[in-house]
Protein backbone atom coordinates (compact mmCIF):
# COMPACT_ATOMS: atom_id res chain seq x y z
CA UNK A 1 0.00 0.00 0.00
CA UNK A 2 2.96 2.32 0.48
CA UNK A 3 3.48 2.50 -3.30
CA UNK A 4 -0.02 3.86 -3.92
CA UNK A 5 -0.48 7.61 -4.43
CA UNK A 6 -0.80 9.30 -1.04
CA UNK A 7 -4.25 10.69 -1.81
CA UNK A 8 -5.64 7.17 -2.27
CA UNK A 9 -5.22 6.56 1.44
CA UNK A 10 -7.19 9.71 2.25
CA UNK A 11 -10.03 8.80 -0.14
CA UNK A 12 -9.38 11.93 -2.22
CA UNK A 13 -8.26 10.31 -5.45
CA UNK A 14 -11.34 9.57 -7.58
CA UNK A 15 -9.23 9.52 -10.72
CA UNK A 16 -7.28 6.54 -9.43
CA UNK A 17 -10.58 4.69 -8.98
CA UNK A 18 -12.57 5.77 -12.03
CA UNK A 19 -9.56 5.62 -14.34
CA UNK A 20 -8.24 2.27 -13.10
CA UNK A 21 -7.43 -0.27 -15.79
CA UNK A 22 -8.70 -3.01 -13.44
CA UNK A 23 -12.16 -1.45 -13.81
CA UNK A 24 -12.09 -0.11 -17.37
CA UNK A 25 -10.73 -3.18 -19.15
CA UNK A 26 -13.24 -5.68 -17.67
CA UNK A 27 -16.00 -3.22 -18.61
CA UNK A 28 -14.57 -3.13 -22.14
CA UNK A 29 -14.67 -6.93 -22.26
CA UNK A 30 -18.33 -6.85 -21.25
CA UNK A 31 -19.64 -3.91 -23.28
CA UNK A 32 -17.16 -3.91 -26.17
CA UNK A 33 -15.78 -0.42 -25.49
CA UNK A 34 -13.98 1.53 -22.77
CA UNK A 35 -16.64 3.53 -20.87
CA UNK A 36 -14.52 6.65 -20.53
CA UNK A 37 -15.52 9.94 -22.20
CA UNK A 38 -12.01 11.07 -23.28
CA UNK A 39 -11.45 7.60 -24.79
CA UNK A 40 -14.72 7.79 -26.72
CA UNK A 41 -13.74 11.24 -28.02
CA UNK A 42 -10.33 9.79 -28.96
CA UNK A 43 -12.03 7.00 -30.93
CA UNK A 44 -14.23 9.56 -32.70
CA UNK A 45 -11.15 11.54 -33.75
CA UNK A 46 -9.62 8.29 -35.04
CA UNK A 47 -12.72 7.68 -37.16
CA UNK A 48 -13.98 4.64 -35.24
CA UNK A 49 -17.12 6.58 -34.27
CA UNK A 50 -19.04 9.24 -36.16
CA UNK A 51 -20.12 12.60 -34.73
CA UNK A 52 -23.73 11.38 -34.60
CA UNK A 53 -22.63 8.53 -32.31
CA UNK A 54 -20.74 10.99 -30.13
CA UNK A 55 -23.81 13.24 -29.87
CA UNK A 56 -25.60 10.29 -28.23
CA UNK A 57 -22.62 9.09 -26.21
CA UNK A 58 -21.86 12.40 -24.45
CA UNK A 59 -25.29 12.79 -22.76
CA UNK A 60 -25.19 9.11 -21.75
CA UNK A 61 -21.76 9.55 -20.17
CA UNK A 62 -23.13 12.41 -18.07
CA UNK A 63 -26.43 10.71 -17.23
CA UNK A 64 -25.17 7.26 -16.18
CA UNK A 65 -22.73 8.36 -13.42
CA UNK A 66 -25.29 10.87 -12.14
CA UNK A 67 -27.89 8.11 -11.77
CA UNK A 68 -25.28 5.78 -10.26
CA UNK A 69 -24.23 8.34 -7.65
CA UNK A 70 -27.88 9.08 -6.81
CA UNK A 71 -28.50 5.35 -6.38
CA UNK A 72 -25.51 5.08 -4.05
CA UNK A 73 -26.86 8.01 -2.06
CA UNK A 74 -30.26 6.34 -1.69
CA UNK A 75 -29.10 2.78 -0.99
CA UNK A 76 -25.98 3.15 1.14
CA UNK A 77 -25.51 4.58 4.65
CA UNK A 78 -24.84 8.31 4.84
CA UNK A 79 -21.41 7.93 6.47
CA UNK A 80 -20.24 5.87 3.47
CA UNK A 81 -21.74 7.99 0.71
CA UNK A 82 -20.33 11.17 2.23
CA UNK A 83 -16.92 9.85 1.14
CA UNK A 84 -17.95 7.90 -1.97
CA UNK A 85 -19.72 10.79 -3.70
CA UNK A 86 -17.82 13.72 -2.24
CA UNK A 87 -17.59 16.37 -4.99
CA UNK A 88 -14.26 17.10 -6.65
CA UNK A 89 -13.36 20.71 -5.86
CA UNK A 90 -10.17 22.11 -7.32
CA UNK A 91 -7.94 24.86 -6.05
CA UNK A 92 -8.33 28.10 -8.00
CA UNK A 93 -4.82 29.32 -7.13
CA UNK A 94 -3.37 27.94 -10.36
CA UNK A 95 -3.63 29.94 -13.60
CA UNK A 96 -6.52 28.66 -15.73
CA UNK A 97 -4.29 27.98 -18.73
CA UNK A 98 -1.85 25.92 -16.63
CA UNK A 99 -4.66 23.66 -15.39
CA UNK A 100 -6.02 23.35 -18.93
CA UNK A 101 -2.63 22.34 -20.35
CA UNK A 102 -2.04 19.87 -17.52
CA UNK A 103 -5.46 18.22 -17.95
CA UNK A 104 -5.04 18.11 -21.73
CA UNK A 105 -1.61 16.49 -21.57
CA UNK A 106 -2.53 13.99 -18.86
CA UNK A 107 -5.71 12.88 -20.63
CA UNK A 108 -4.03 12.64 -24.04
CA UNK A 109 -1.42 10.29 -22.54
CA UNK A 110 -4.15 8.45 -20.63
CA UNK A 111 -6.30 7.74 -23.70
CA UNK A 112 -3.35 6.65 -25.84
CA UNK A 113 -2.07 4.46 -22.99
CA UNK A 114 -5.43 2.78 -22.44
CA UNK A 115 -5.77 1.90 -26.12
CA UNK A 116 -2.15 0.95 -26.90
CA UNK A 117 -0.80 -0.77 -23.79
CA UNK A 118 -3.08 -3.87 -23.91
CA UNK A 119 -1.88 -4.60 -27.46
CA UNK A 120 1.77 -4.20 -26.48
CA UNK A 121 1.28 -6.57 -23.54
CA UNK A 122 -0.60 -9.08 -25.71
CA UNK A 123 2.15 -9.10 -28.35
CA UNK A 124 4.75 -9.78 -25.65
CA UNK A 125 2.67 -12.44 -23.92
CA UNK A 126 2.23 -10.43 -20.71
CA UNK A 127 -1.00 -10.42 -18.71
CA UNK A 128 -3.16 -7.34 -19.25
CA UNK A 129 -3.41 -6.73 -15.49
CA UNK A 130 0.10 -5.28 -15.57
CA UNK A 131 -1.19 -2.31 -17.57
CA UNK A 132 -1.92 -0.59 -14.26
CA UNK A 133 1.77 -0.68 -13.39
CA UNK A 134 2.73 0.86 -16.73
CA UNK A 135 0.21 3.67 -16.30
CA UNK A 136 1.10 4.11 -12.63
CA UNK A 137 3.49 7.09 -13.15
CA UNK A 138 0.68 8.92 -14.95
CA UNK A 139 -1.83 8.05 -12.22
CA UNK A 140 0.59 9.08 -9.49
CA UNK A 141 1.53 12.40 -11.08
CA UNK A 142 -2.06 13.29 -11.81
CA UNK A 143 -3.64 12.09 -8.58
CA UNK A 144 -1.08 13.71 -6.32
CA UNK A 145 -0.68 16.95 -8.25
CA UNK A 146 -1.71 19.62 -5.74
CA UNK A 147 -4.93 21.26 -6.88
CA UNK A 148 -4.63 19.73 -10.36
CA UNK A 149 -5.51 16.07 -9.92
CA UNK A 150 -7.40 14.66 -12.88
CA UNK A 151 -10.35 12.28 -12.60
CA UNK A 152 -9.87 11.33 -16.28
CA UNK A 153 -13.48 12.23 -17.05
CA UNK A 154 -15.25 15.62 -17.03
CA UNK A 155 -18.61 13.87 -16.67
CA UNK A 156 -17.59 12.57 -13.23
CA UNK A 157 -16.75 16.06 -11.97
CA UNK A 158 -20.13 17.35 -13.08
CA UNK A 159 -22.06 14.32 -11.77
CA UNK A 160 -20.46 14.41 -8.32
CA UNK A 161 -21.26 18.12 -7.97
CA UNK A 162 -24.81 17.61 -9.22
CA UNK A 163 -25.59 14.78 -6.80
CA UNK A 164 -23.96 16.60 -3.88
CA UNK A 165 -26.04 19.70 -4.68
CA UNK A 166 -22.93 21.85 -5.01
CA UNK A 167 -22.91 25.13 -6.89
CA UNK A 168 -22.21 25.05 -10.60
CA UNK A 169 -18.61 24.45 -11.60
CA UNK A 170 -16.81 27.83 -11.29
CA UNK A 171 -15.37 29.34 -14.47
CA UNK A 172 -11.86 28.99 -13.04
CA UNK A 173 -12.38 25.21 -12.79
CA UNK A 174 -13.77 24.69 -16.28
CA UNK A 175 -10.24 23.80 -17.36
CA UNK A 176 -10.81 20.45 -15.63
CA UNK A 177 -13.90 19.88 -17.80
CA UNK A 178 -12.45 21.09 -21.11
CA UNK A 179 -8.97 19.59 -20.64
CA UNK A 180 -10.06 15.92 -20.81
CA UNK A 181 -12.11 16.65 -23.94
CA UNK A 182 -9.13 18.33 -25.65
CA UNK A 183 -6.92 15.50 -24.39
CA UNK A 184 -9.20 12.96 -26.04
CA UNK A 185 -9.01 14.86 -29.34
CA UNK A 186 -5.20 15.10 -29.20
CA UNK A 187 -4.98 11.45 -28.19
CA UNK A 188 -7.05 10.55 -31.26
CA UNK A 189 -4.77 12.62 -33.49
CA UNK A 190 -1.73 10.81 -32.07
CA UNK A 191 -3.38 7.42 -32.60
CA UNK A 192 -4.32 8.40 -36.18
CA UNK A 193 -0.62 8.49 -37.03
CA UNK A 194 -0.46 4.70 -36.65
CA UNK A 195 -2.30 1.90 -38.47
CA UNK A 196 -5.67 1.16 -36.82
CA UNK A 197 -6.46 -2.54 -36.55
CA UNK A 198 -9.04 -1.89 -33.77
Amino acid sequence: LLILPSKVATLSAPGFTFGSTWILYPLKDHFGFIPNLPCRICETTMGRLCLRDLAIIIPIHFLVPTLAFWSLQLLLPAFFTSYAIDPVIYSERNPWIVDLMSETLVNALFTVGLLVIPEILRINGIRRGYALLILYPLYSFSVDAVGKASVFGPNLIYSLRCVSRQEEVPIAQWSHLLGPILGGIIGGEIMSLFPDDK
Side-chain angles (χ1 to χ4, degrees):
L1 292 177
L2 293 177
I3 66 170
L4 292 176
S6 60
K7 288 189 179 181
V8 172
T10 60
L11 301 176
S12 60
F16 193 79
T17 302
F18 296 122
S20 173
T21 58
W22 290 354
I23 294 175
L24 293 179
Y25 288 149
L27 288 174
K28 180 184 179 183
D29 293 340
H30 184 74
F31 295 108
F33 58 87
I34 296 177
N36 174 269
L37 186 55
C39 279
R40 303 300 275 166
I41 292 171
C42 175
E43 291 177 318
T44 303
T45 306
M46 293 170 61
R48 293 184 182 179
L49 300 171
C50 65
L51 290 176
R52 183 174 59 186
D53 294 333
L54 191 64
I56 298 171
I57 288 169
I58 288 177
I60 291 174
H61 271 274
F62 278 88
L63 182 61
V64 169
T66 302
L67 293 176
F69 294 143
W70 262 326
S71 299
L72 284 175
Q73 199 174 41
L74 291 173
L75 298 176
L76 298 178
F79 73 89
F80 179 81
T81 55
S82 63
Y83 291 103
I85 60 173
D86 198 31
V88 180
I89 299 175
Y90 290 101
S91 168
E92 296 184 20
R93 293 175 297 175
N94 307 307
W96 189 85
I97 190 66
V98 171
D99 285 346
L100 180 65
M101 292 173 62
S102 174
E103 281 279 9
T104 302
L105 175 63
V106 164
N107 280 274
L109 294 174
F110 177 68
T111 54
V112 172
L114 278 182
L115 296 173
V116 171
I117 288 173
E119 295 306 312
I120 294 175
L121 294 177
R122 181 180 61 80
I123 290 170
N124 290 280
I126 302 173
R127 291 178 56 190
R128 190 179 62 183
Y130 290 105
L132 183 66
L133 296 179
I134 298 173
L135 283 172
Y136 177 80
L138 181 63
Y139 286 131
S140 182
F141 165 77
S142 174
V143 167
D144 283 339
V146 179
K148 296 186 291 185
S150 179
V151 298
F152 304 112
N155 50 318
L156 297 172
I157 297 173
Y158 184 85
S159 298
L160 286 168
R161 280 181 170 268
C162 180
V163 172
S164 300
R165 296 182 176 86
Q166 293 286 323
E167 73 283 355
E168 291 299 318
V169 180
I171 295 297
Q173 296 184 15
W174 267 83
S175 53
H176 297 283
L177 294 176
L178 297 177
I181 295 172
L182 294 175
I185 294 171
I186 293 173
E189 292 294 340
I190 293 172
M191 293 287 288
S192 298
L193 300 175
F194 303 95
D196 182 15
D197 60 358
K198 298 189 178 182

